[in-house]
Amino acid sequence: MEGKVCQSCAMPLIKEEEFATNLDGSKNEEYCIYCLKDGNFVANQTMEEMVEFCIPFVYKEGEGKSIDEVRKDMLTYYKTLKRWKEN
Ligand SMILES: [Zn+2]
């Protein structure tokens, strides 16, 4: 089974306290606490802004990929996430 990732920032959702909350305080299984709070997105960002924000967490020097390649991969991947998926 594939692990859950936040459908906004792609952070792996592992720990119970990393899951977002719905408006009624129940657990939201699709987003992390940094993206969604009480059923609302914390920041009103575009997908590109989200990728730029997340690059420092994903990009690691010396892993063979340039930062531009990492960015390109992330943009491709983020497009598949629920928040950014085109209808
Ligand atoms: Zn998130």
Side-chain angles (χ1 to χ4, degrees):
M1 203 181 108
E2 214 175 297
K4 287 196 173 102
V5 297
C6 172
Q7 294 298 301
S8 167
C9 72
M11 181 180 96
L13 295 170
I14 299 157
K15 294 184 208 134
E16 199 66 18
E17 62 265 29
E18 287 172 342
F19 285 88
T21 47
N22 293 312
L23 191 56
D24 63 4
S26 61
K27 190 173 93 171
N28 184 295
E29 306 255 357
E30 296 184 307
Y31 296 101
C32 76
I33 49 161
Y34 308 108
C35 291
L36 194 81
K37 192 176 189 310
D38 303 331
N40 291 304
F41 287 116
V42 174
N44 198 0
Q45 292 161 298
T46 64
M47 188 183 81
E48 286 74 16
E49 286 167 343
M50 179 62 86
V51 167
E52 289 307 315
F53 179 77
C54 294
I55 277 177
F57 302 104
V58 176
Y59 173 68
K60 292 192 176 61
E61 257 179 274
E63 286 197 344
K65 278 186 183 174
S66 71
I67 198 154
D68 285 334
E69 286 171 316
V70 170
R71 180 184 289 114
K72 209 169 143 248
D73 288 349
M74 288 172 74
L75 285 167
T76 304
Y77 180 56
Y78 277 46
K79 272 181 205 159
T80 69
L81 300 174
K82 193 180 170 189
R83 186 177 180 187
W84 315 114
K85 220 182 258 181
E86 283 163 50
N87 300 313

